Structure formats: C-alpha cells, structure tokens
Amino acid sequence: MPPNTTASSGHKPGKSGRKKGRKARLLVLVLVLAIIGGIAYGAYWSISTVRASLPQTTGSITLDGLSGPVDVKRDSYGIPQIYASSDEDLFMAQGYVQAQDRFYEMDVRRHMTSGRLSEMFGKGQVKNDEFLRTLGWDRVAQKEYDTTLSASTKKYLQAYAKGVNAYLKGKDGKDISLEYAALGFENDYTPQKWTPVDSIAWLKAMAWDLRGNMQDEIDRALMTTRLGPQQIADLYPEYPYSRNQPIVTEGEYNDYTKTFGDADSSTGTSTGGTTGSTSSSSGSAFTSQLSGLSDVLEDLPTAVGVNGQGIGSNSWVVAGKNTITGKPLLANDPHLEASLPSVWYQMGLHCRAVSSKCQYDVSGYTFAGMPGVIIGHNQNIAWGMTNSGVDTTDLYLEKLSGDGYLYDGKTKPFTTRTETIKVAGGASKKIVVRETNNGPLLSDRDDELVKVGKKATVDTAAPDRGDGYGIALRWTAEDPGTTMDAVFAIDKASNWTEFRAAATKFDVPSQNLVYADTKNNIGYTLPGKIPTRGKGDGSLPVPGWDPKYDWTGYIPQAALPYEFNPKRGFIVTANQAVIDKDKYPYTLTTDWGYGTRSQRITDLIQSKIDGGGKISTDDMRQMQLDDSSEIAKLIVPKLLKLDIDDPDVREAQKLLEGWDYTQDADSAAAAYFNSVWRNILKLAFGNKLPKELRVKGQCLFVTPVDTTGPADETNQKVRECGERDADEAQPDGGDRWFEVVRKLMDDPTNDWWKTPKSGNRPGATTMNQLFERAMIDARWELTAKLGKDIDTWSWGRLHRLFLKNQTLGTEGPGIVQYILNRGPWKLSGGEATVNATGWNAAGGYGVVWVPSMRMVVNLDNFDKSKWINLTGASGHAYSAHYTDQTSKWVNGELLPWSFSSKAVDDSTSDTLVLKP
C-alpha cells in the first residue's frame, strides 16, 4: 500500500476523457485473460496482481521527509511536471515519481551496473556479472560519492533516494511491477532500498556504451590474422575533411603545447602513431585473447547503446538571424538501441519561485534512476548532446608471471580483490579480480583465454611466454569523476560562461554539447577527460610491459575545442570529426564517424539560408526525418549503366530509374538498393574478413592466406564459420564503409572487387562485375523474403522495429514476452541517414538502433518547443502510457512541450499532491 494515503487514490478521468480510460480497462482485461489462458509456469495472475502497480496520479499522498507540498502534474501522455519549493523536495519527488513509473527498469539497471543480475535472473547471468564485477562500476561510483562529488550533489542524490524508498515502503515486488510477479515464479526476490550510489553507477554504464573506439581497436587487431597492413588501411580510410566539415571551423582552443611542450609531456599530444602495436608481438595468444574478449562483450546487456558500435546522434543549433522567430532553434535526436521502455524519461522540474533555496526550473529528458535533467532546457538556455567518439579506452597486452605481471623489466604484483556473486536459485560463486597498473584484466573472465595465453607462440619482440598473456583495460571511467556534479550545474546555468564551466565537470563520457540561450547566442563545447599517450595513438592495443605506451596525462579542459556565435550562423554535431587534425595539436581519436549525416544536415541548413529562407521549428523537424541515402547517390548511377541479361534482375534494376534516393517505408526502390548495397559489402569485404568479425553460423570455404583476391585453385581451402552476433558483425554498412567504397570506386580493378567463382558462376575481376553479381543476388534474396512480384516490395517490410522488454521480454516465457513486447513497425530511414534507423548490413535489415527521442527547442517561446519519446512515460506493460508515443514517433510527429506554468496547467490531465 502507498504510505499514508489520504484523499482519493488511483486514476480518475481527466481532460483526456473516458474513452482512454475505457481502452485502458479493456487492455487490462485482455492481459489478465491472456495470462490466465497461458497458465505460465502452471499458475495465473489475478486482476488485482495485474492492476497492483498502477501508479497513483491523482489525489494526495503523504511522504515523510518533505518540507512542503509538491504538485505532480501529468499531461495526457503521462509526462510529469513537478512543482516544489525547495531543491530537496524537488529531487525527492522526482525519485518518487520515477519509481512509480519505472522502478523495475531502475532495479534492473542497478543490478547490471553492480554486477548482480544473477540475483534477479539466476545462473544464466553469472558470466555477465563476472565481467561487470571486473569493471567495478559500483566501486568507482562509491569512490565518487565518497571523494569527488560536491556536498550539494550528495544532498540531491540523498533526497532522490529518499523519494524512491518512500515509494517502495510497504510494497512487495508484485505491487511494483508485473515483471516481479513473473520473477516470483522463479525465486523470492525482494527489491532493496535505493542508494545514492545506485544513481551514480548508471553514469558508468552510460559511459561504457559510449566509450569510443574500443571495438574498432579490437577489430583492427583481429584483421591482422587475414589481412595485411595496406588492406586494413583500406578499410579504415582517413576522415574526408575536405568534403565533410568538422564541427569546429571557426572556433578556438588554448594551445597548451606552447607552454608545456608536446610529445611526451603530461599534457602533450601523442607522437607514436601505431609504432610497436602488439599485433606482431603476441602471436596466437593475442588473437585468441581478443576474439574471446569480443565474445564476452557481445553477451553483455547494453545500457543505452549497442555495445559501443553504431552509436550516433544528431544535434544542431541555428542562430536567430537564420530563423523565423529571430531567436535560436536547437534540435537533438540521440541514436541508441531501441529499448522498451525507452532509455529516456521526459519530465519537468520546477521551483515555484527560483531562489537560493530552490534553484531549478528545467525540463527535458533524463534517465529513470537519476536525478536532474540530462538534455533539455531551463528558463534561460537549451542544450543538446551527441557522442563525441573521442578515444578514452586502450587495451594493453600484459605479460603474466605467477602472481604478477611484467612492467619496465620487473615483475609487479597484481592488485586483487575477491567478489562473491549471489545466484537466484543456485549456489554463490566467488571470483578473483586482478588488476595491473593499466587496469583490470578483462581476459581473466574467460578460462579458455588464460589457457591459450599459456600455450601461445610469440616472436622475438615479446617477452618469454612464461605463464602467458592477458588483456587489461585502461579507461577514464575507471577513475572517480564529477559528471553528476555537471548534471546539476548545467541544469541551473543561465548563460554561456556558466554553461561552459558546468560542462568541464562532465568528464565521462565525453559528449559534444550544443548550446543556445534566450539572449540570441549559440555555441558548442567539447568537455571530457581525454588521455594523452606516450607512444601509440589508441588505434591498436599496445604492450603493457613497455612504459613508453603509458598514458601521460589528460588534455587540459581549457585546451579543448569550442565555438561561440560562428559567423555562418549554425553549428552541427553528428559524430563527425570535432576539428581538423592539422589545426589541432592533440590526438582526440583516430576513429571519427565519417560525417555523412553531419554534412547532409549542414547542406540542408545552408541551402535554406542560401535560398533566402528562414528556418522554422517544423523545418527542424523535417530535417530530423530526412532519409536520403548518400551512398545510393554515389552507386545507383553505376548500377543503371550495367547491361543486365536476366529479365527478372532487369525488372528490379528499373526500380532505381528516377528514384530520388529517399528511403521511405513504402519504397520498393529503397528495398532493392539496400539489398544490393548489402550484397556489395558481402562480396567485396565480408567474405574476406576473418571469422571473428563475420556473422555467427555463416560458413565459407576460404584459402588460409593473407589475400583479398580469388583463391589459387591449387591452394587447399578450409571451412570457416563466423563467430560474431548479427548485430555486431562486419561490414555493418555504416558511413565508414561508405568512405571505403567511395575510394575504391576510383580503382575499378582493385583486388577488393575480385571474388572467387561460385559453382557454375564465374568470379568477379572488376567493380562492374561485382556490382552485377550483387544486383543478381539482391534480386533473388528479396524474391525469397518479399515475393517475386516487385510491386509488393517495400523497404518497411524488410526494415522493421521490434520493441522488447530488455529482460523477460527477451528470455521469459512466451506468454510473458507477448505481454511485455510490442511491434513490429515498418520504418523509413536507414544507416548513416539523418533519420538514422540503423541496421547492420552483415546481419540483415532489421532495425538495430533508432533516434531514441527527438526534440526541437524554440528559444523565442519555450512553450512552442516540441518533443517525442520512442515509447512512453510508463514502464508498466498494461499502462496506457507504455507505448502511446511510438506511433507518432514512427510517423515523425512531435508533441507539444509545455514549460510555463500556464501552459503546463492547460495541458494537465492528472494532478497528484505529495504532502509532508
């Protein structure tokens, strides 16, 4: 029961009318019948069980710990706006309300971040817990709370936790969420109290999924088993600075190298390139270690992304001189893994009167389980974020010896700790975590890797084998930071100076921050803790025994790039290079996104300005929905020139005639082109990559030599099967592969275009021959998937979005999955388009990541701003707000975003008063 409930409880019809309430009741009835009919685990849930966790949204509730009344006003989509008279009351109420809607999600997240998933889900999660305990996110979060965070931040975290625990008081799991009732069939799990550290640890999970180039670092090293240096270089081309503009072109930074020197100084840039990479010094040990590490990473649950791959976002801001309103407009749509409920939670946090006692009037998107607002606006400024992609992780190959590791010619002892993993329905398991001076030994989490390391052959560049080799991770997030301080500081910043000062505390993960204010200023800043290196540039793993490869410090915050009111009148960030490498003395990363989306956004804005037009809020929305395929513009003219003999393939080829390159869900041309693109990548690259990068279960007969060309008929072939999950395999078809193909098209007889013969079909020896083969293969692939009649083809039939509950919705009983999951939806957009509904070309056409939310902020009138979430406010499967925004999101619609007290009152459907 809710604590000290007074007045009315439950729901009552508001301005949304009785029709929605009737639909909700019908949904509950259908779910109850489905559950009873399914007889999951030989039991059933009653109507009271299904309805038990519906949050109270009207009337009043008494909460111990409040100093005054708090109003919680929800609109017809269940989005809450909280009004309080003190900071502590505001954040306590935020904790209570988020727990009402999303506590199960919050509970799963904290078990993930602390490596305790086995306590909820049993022995199937032990391997994940072992890896997560090795990373030690909760331990670092505890250190942050104890040593680095400000007193005010701790006070707010404590208030938030108090609110969550007020919601939990007196409730069993089944009173909180349907998932707990399902888990009750398996174990007697009871939710524990929330702590401030639970909120901080979520930032570590966020940082992990946005960690930068770690997967590229692994992939490049694995490629050395089959490809030579030039071939690998072909697959990682230089960023096209002359064609795709970096973020900062008119901005500034302080060149600290003039003061402190460059090269090996504590704040200098790296000078070593990839010299001394371990790819040649580790033999089979290194390959096996990295392959095993990649397998472990694939199995980890994701927090906000796709295990570090495909993570992108769009944000841009347009100055008032280029807008209809005369004030800035700011847009943001982070591209993250599609999850149910959405990773984002919309809400407003309002002090009735902003003062020293109550400092916040902010609205936007946050994470369930975390106080404050991550992306949004307050009464003076607005901000958006995209992943910067800077390199904050390095892998070190460590030479192990007994109870220690080799460093600078000496054996040093490991730092160790013992972790006990409790398992629901089973015995606990103890593990020992070992750390070197470079960080935790990730390779300890797979017994096979240790065995391989002991037996490995190495060359003369590496130390004697001894007990073998391991892999350690050096990562900025392993050190206590101040990102939680940054969240609160940004939320109350009132101008550019305060915003930049607050941003310097946002150390992990490093993000591109765009800015606008009501005084008609726009800006960009890159915060983050970004390492400098002695030797090496972070592109490949390096030898941990050589101190020359140590990190030498961090780039000073004042030396990081920024822009303020550039003359062009807009700023675009979409994961492209931050600044031209020739104009900046520090190494940020070697693995930027290649700028396809950012340049398309830039071109759309510039064309509007050049045409004499002014940009509106709806123009910003339309830009977010742009689904033009840049790679199609390059390849389709070539495809149309090919003389195709097969009439069925020629029929498909004609779909491309007159196509405008847009990837609408109902487009047959988009379906055919994307299939051709997928088959081009498979033939030219996919079949030539090592098995560790190819899709699991896809087997080929290959010649075991370092060549991309056709196998010599005298060579003996071996059968190799791919080892990577479909959503993580290569070539994924992103804009790196756009750039690879763009460059190779200038060399139509390059070895990459050559393929071996297959059955009675001759191999390709030129680009045109490979393109023709891809067109044939695509025609018959789509015939199998969509039917022979091309009039029935559409991109949306291939490119579908399924929303799945991230726990029981993926591995629970069928009836539970039916209740918790939603979809499919047929989507427009595609890979590396502005409307980035990402798919992995190696694995198929299904949607892997999406614009997880969209917003457009109007700095002239905040009440004319617009927003949308991928799913809805609620995490309850039977709530009317579970996925009530999804259809509008699919259609590209945005909802009104009320901010002023009058606008919020006008849009309010339910009001709940929290009383002290």
Side-chain angles (χ1 to χ4, degrees), residues 254-520:
N254 293 321
D255 188 353
Y256 272 57
T257 61
K258 292 179 180 177
T259 303
F260 297 104
D262 49 21
D264 298 318
S265 74
S266 62
T267 55
T269 184
S270 64
T271 60
T274 57
T275 304
S277 72
T278 61
S279 60
S280 63
S281 64
S282 61
S284 61
F286 190 48
T287 300
S288 299
Q289 296 274 16
L290 285 177
S291 179
L293 174 58
S294 186
D295 290 342
V296 173
L297 295 178
E298 286 176 15
D299 291 337
L300 281 183
T302 56
V304 298
V306 193
N307 285 331
Q309 292 204 97
I311 304 299
S313 300
N314 302 323
S315 68
W316 66 94
V317 59
V318 181
K321 68 180 182 179
N322 294 321
T323 70
I324 287 176
T325 66
K327 290 288 181 71
L329 295 171
L330 185 149
N332 198 187
D333 55 288
H335 308 153
L336 302 171
E337 183 180 38
S339 61
L340 181 61
S342 167
V343 68
W344 298 109
Y345 186 91
Q346 298 155 283
M347 71 187 318
L349 301 171
H350 307 279
C351 289
R352 293 190 178 95
V354 176
S355 65
S356 59
K357 180 182 178 182
C358 197
Q359 305 172 73
Y360 295 89
D361 188 16
V362 61
S363 183
Y365 297 83
T366 188
F367 301 122
M370 184 183 298
V373 167
I374 304 298
I375 295 173
H377 70 84
N378 59 31
Q379 70 272 40
N380 296 304
I381 72 169
W383 65 95
M385 293 186 187
T386 64
N387 190 26
S388 71
V390 299
D391 188 359
T392 59
T393 60
D394 279 342
L395 294 174
Y396 285 84
L397 183 65
E398 302 285 7
K399 165 67 184 67
L400 310 182
S401 177
D403 294 327
Y405 61 95
L406 187 68
Y407 179 73
D408 198 16
K410 300 177 181 179
T411 299
K412 300 186 65 174
F414 296 112
T415 300
T416 63
R417 67 179 188 273
T418 300
E419 299 273 355
T420 301
I421 298 172
K422 297 178 181 179
V423 182
S428 297
K429 180 178 182 180
K430 289 188 176 182
I431 64 169
V432 175
V433 176
R434 301 188 296 176
E435 295 188 6
T436 74
N437 61 325
N438 292 312
L441 276 174
L442 303 186
S443 50
D444 276 359
R445 299 287 64 90
D446 191 312
D447 293 339
E448 290 302 310
L449 298 187
V450 178
K451 293 176 184 176
V452 169
K454 290 182 177 180
K455 298 178 181 178
T457 57
V458 294
D459 64 24
T460 56
D464 292 337
R465 182 175 69 242
D467 287 341
Y469 292 89
I471 294 177
L473 171 68
R474 183 79 170 95
W475 179 33
T476 54
E478 289 287 302
D479 300 324
T482 56
T483 301
M484 200 70 243
D485 284 341
V487 172
F488 294 115
I490 290 173
D491 282 357
K492 65 181 180 181
S494 62
N495 55 48
W496 172 246
T497 301
E498 291 179 2
F499 177 78
R500 280 206 79 207
T504 61
K505 300 178 183 295
F506 206 106
D507 48 14
V508 178
S510 175
Q511 298 286 286
N512 295 313
L513 298 180
V514 294
Y515 166 94
D517 63 35
T518 57
K519 302 297 184 182
N520 225 349

Side-chain angles (χ1 to χ4, degrees), residues 127-167:
K127 284 290 186 183
N128 285 332
D129 282 348
E130 289 178 2
F131 190 83
L132 293 165
R133 293 286 184 98
T134 300
L135 291 174
W137 293 341
D138 59 332
R139 297 176 68 256
V140 181
Q142 185 68 59
K143 289 180 182 178
E144 286 188 8
Y145 185 77
D146 292 340
T147 64
T148 64
L149 296 180
S150 68
S152 62
T153 293
K154 291 181 182 180
K155 180 171 61 177
Y156 300 155
L157 287 165
Q158 291 164 1
Y160 180 90
K162 188 188 298 182
V164 175
N165 293 328
Y167 170 76

